[in-house]
Amino acid sequence: QAVWSEVVLLVLFQNADKQITRINQQIRAVTANRELGAREKNDRLEALNARRNQIAMQVDLAARELE
């Protein structure tokens, strides 16, 4: 049971890390984009940050439930 939980946690963390890495790359791309206006840039960054935070919260909740 304990080994199974550790494997599940590892997979969850790895998947979340990949998703968050992609989102961070998108955040950097939006930040560097000089063609976007301030409002559009802000809207995109807010959406990306919200998605990143949602992923982190889901993984944290899942990890707590497996403990």
Side-chain angles (χ1 to χ4, degrees):
Q1 180 73 17
V3 173
W4 180 83
S5 294
E6 289 179 17
V7 170
V8 170
L9 279 176
L10 179 62
V11 171
L12 281 172
F13 286 132
Q14 287 174 337
N15 288 339
D17 184 57
K18 288 177 186 175
Q19 291 177 16
I20 289 172
T21 296
R22 275 189 244 117
I23 292 170
N24 287 338
Q25 290 170 344
Q26 292 173 328
I27 287 171
R28 283 191 294 277
V30 168
T31 302
N33 190 333
R34 295 175 185 250
E35 296 179 8
L36 295 176
R39 180 170 286 153
E40 185 176 359
K41 190 177 283 194
N42 188 55
D43 290 346
R44 289 186 187 191
L45 291 174
E46 281 185 14
L48 289 167
N49 280 314
R51 180 66 185 133
R52 182 175 61 184
N53 292 339
Q54 180 184 24
I55 292 167
M57 286 189 295
Q58 288 173 343
V59 170
D60 182 62
L61 180 62
R64 291 174 191 269
E65 289 176 355
L66 285 174
E67 289 180 345

